[in-house]
Amino acid sequence: MINGKKVLFSGMQATGNLTLGNYLGALKNWVALSDEYECYYSVVDMHSITVRQDPAVLRKRARALMTIYIAAGLDPDKNCIYYQSHVSAHAELAWILNCYTYMGEMNRMTQFKDKAAKHADNINCGLFTYPVLMAADILLYQADVVPVGIDQMQHLEITRDIAQRFNGIYGETFTIPQAYVGKTGAKIMSLQNPEKKMSKSDENPNASIYLTDDPDTIMRKCRRAVTDSEAQILYRDEQPGVKNLLNIYCACTGKTPEEAVKEFDGRGYGDLKLAVGESVIAVLKPLQDRIAQIEKDKDYLDSHIKANAERAAYTATKTLRKVQRKVGFPDRIR
Ligand code: TRP
């Protein structure tokens, strides 16, 4: 508890261009939660180097992500939004927790297996212990809740296991975090293959709408979205492409699927796609304008990056010192 509020931690990687799926599925939720919780939202750049990055590109994208956090509505005076690499306690706690995590546990991580297969030429130790760094992120802030997608659930489970193990040996040290599973959080699927999640790493640029896409591009991608030959607009699993378009439409307009289905009753897919495109533009255009606004004021962003890194470091160091003491590191001489 901080200021009478529960603590929330989450992070996002600055790799790839953020998609509409990231925005509607994650960021928008983060903003909705930011009043209720004491929030830490990190740009997890240390996780990003578990696969090779172009340094200049990583730096640029990290700053762009920070800008998007704010543009999406996370007030940097209220939410601690910061770069993971600016707070050295993350690396320090991760090292300690590595010594309380078993190889066998990491071996079971499905994301490691997937990524190792994808980057067979660079299966490094950081990729292997990625979940331990994630555990350090969460535990440093004594987070109560962690909003994560289903793909990160296993990492959250291992975080809980590590925390419980440590608490079991040394006594109450870490808060055991819980997954925050949002209300029917909008899960946005690929426009080209509606069985697959919309992903920033999809090779097919038509599969995803990027937050930076201009209106023409958005319209074109919506027009090309894969549907089916049923020629009826119903909200059901048998029509995954149409269902996905309706989900996007509802997430962007705040309408319910029932309302949307009624609205499109008797109309064709062309109409639906047009309406979806327009609803997406109505959400993304203002976001893009705010991004441009923030980019213009370098000092504004810089000052918040500095202040929030200090704030994060203060809290994180408190936990780190406690842990260092428990495992037997000598006290610092002051
Ligand atoms: N691994 C997460 C992802 O790729 C990002 C992340 C890093 C994270 N540390 C975290 C998410 C801590 C939640 C909490 O999506």
Side-chain angles (χ1 to χ4, degrees):
M1 288 280 204
I2 301 182
N3 304 329
K5 288 182 181 172
K6 287 190 169 178
V7 178
L8 179 153
F9 186 99
S10 200
M12 224 182 255
Q13 294 207 43
T15 36
N17 286 324
L18 283 205
T19 69
L20 183 67
N22 299 120
Y23 178 70
L24 296 176
L27 257 181
K28 212 175 143 208
N29 256 327
W30 288 11
V31 175
L33 293 167
S34 66
D35 278 334
E36 192 181 341
Y37 294 93
E38 183 75 19
C39 298
Y40 292 86
Y41 292 118
S42 189
V43 173
V44 292
D45 46 1
M46 290 163 69
H47 278 103
S48 296
I49 63 164
T50 55
V51 303
R52 285 285 176 268
Q53 303 291 337
D54 177 322
V57 173
L58 178 59
R59 202 174 349 262
K60 206 170 132 216
R61 286 197 169 144
R63 189 165 174 105
L65 183 53
M66 191 68 91
T67 307
I68 290 171
Y69 279 4
I70 298 173
L74 294 175
D75 180 346
D77 287 313
K78 294 207 188 101
N79 302 277
C80 190
I81 59 179
Y82 71 99
Y83 296 121
Q84 184 187 30
S85 65
H86 282 191
V87 179
S88 60
H90 288 257
E92 294 179 76
L93 183 63
W95 171 255
I96 295 174
L97 297 182
N98 265 318
C99 303
Y100 295 84
T101 308
Y102 300 108
M103 305 269 295
E105 289 176 312
M106 294 293 97
N107 257 326
R108 277 194 272 110
M109 296 291 117
T110 56
Q111 189 167 73
F112 170 69
K113 289 182 208 170
D114 293 348
K115 287 195 181 173
K118 221 169 128 194
H119 306 277
D121 55 338
N122 180 23
I123 305 175
N124 61 71
C125 296
L127 189 64
F128 189 61
T129 64
Y130 176 113
V132 180
L133 178 59
M134 188 163 153
D137 298 343
I138 297 165
L139 299 178
L140 276 174
Y141 301 92
Q142 307 288 1
D144 298 286
V145 292
V146 182
V148 282
I150 186 87
D151 59 320
Q152 296 297 314
M153 235 19 150
Q154 206 184 20
H155 293 163
L156 191 63
E157 272 310 311
I158 202 76
T159 300
R160 291 163 56 88
D161 290 347
I162 296 169
Q164 266 152 357
R165 179 174 305 146
F166 196 96
N167 286 355
I169 303 173
Y170 300 103
E172 279 312 301
T173 310
F174 297 123
T175 302
I176 309 299
Q178 293 205 324
Y180 181 92
V181 194
K183 320 147 213 120
T184 49
K187 186 167 182 203
I188 306 301
M189 312 304 277
S190 155
L191 296 179
Q192 291 299 313
N193 176 3
E195 311 283 345
K196 237 176 55 179
K197 204 173 115 175
M198 183 180 285
S199 161
K200 51 189 172 180
S201 48
D202 204 307
E203 283 113 50
N204 183 349
N206 286 323
S208 313
I209 293 173
Y210 299 109
L211 297 190
T212 48
D213 280 348
D214 60 42
D216 285 350
T217 309
I218 294 169
M219 273 309 192
R220 180 167 40 80
K221 288 178 177 177
C222 287
R223 257 193 322 261
R224 288 191 189 167
V226 169
T227 48
D228 52 54
S229 51
E230 307 255 336
Q232 54 177 356
I233 299 175
L234 293 175
Y235 188 77
R236 53 188 201 134
D237 293 339
E238 290 78 9
Q239 294 178 257
V242 171
K243 186 176 179 187
N244 188 38
L245 287 173
L246 287 169
N247 274 334
I248 295 174
Y249 183 68
C250 290
C252 288
T253 57
K255 293 180 184 168
T256 65
E258 296 73 45
E259 287 167 345
V261 166
K262 205 186 270 169
E263 185 180 338
F264 291 105
D265 182 37
R267 293 164 68 188
Y269 291 167
D271 277 7
L272 174 64
K273 290 173 171 182
L274 186 73
V276 171
E278 281 168 355
S279 75
V280 172
I281 293 167
V283 168
L284 291 193
K285 182 71 176 61
L287 182 75
Q288 292 168 0
D289 291 345
R290 285 194 296 275
I291 290 173
Q293 199 69 38
I294 296 163
E295 279 172 346
K296 268 197 263 169
D297 193 347
K298 184 170 181 301
D299 290 346
Y300 168 80
L301 191 56
D302 284 349
S303 65
H304 282 91
I305 287 172
K306 183 161 185 283
N308 278 324
E310 282 164 8
R311 217 177 110 204
Y314 176 80
T315 307
T317 306
K318 263 212 311 226
T319 302
L320 179 66
R321 293 288 176 261
K322 197 152 92 174
V323 170
Q324 288 173 325
R325 175 121 241 303
K326 294 206 177 202
V327 300
F329 292 171
D331 288 334
R332 276 152 205 265
I333 314 291
R334 281 190 286 183

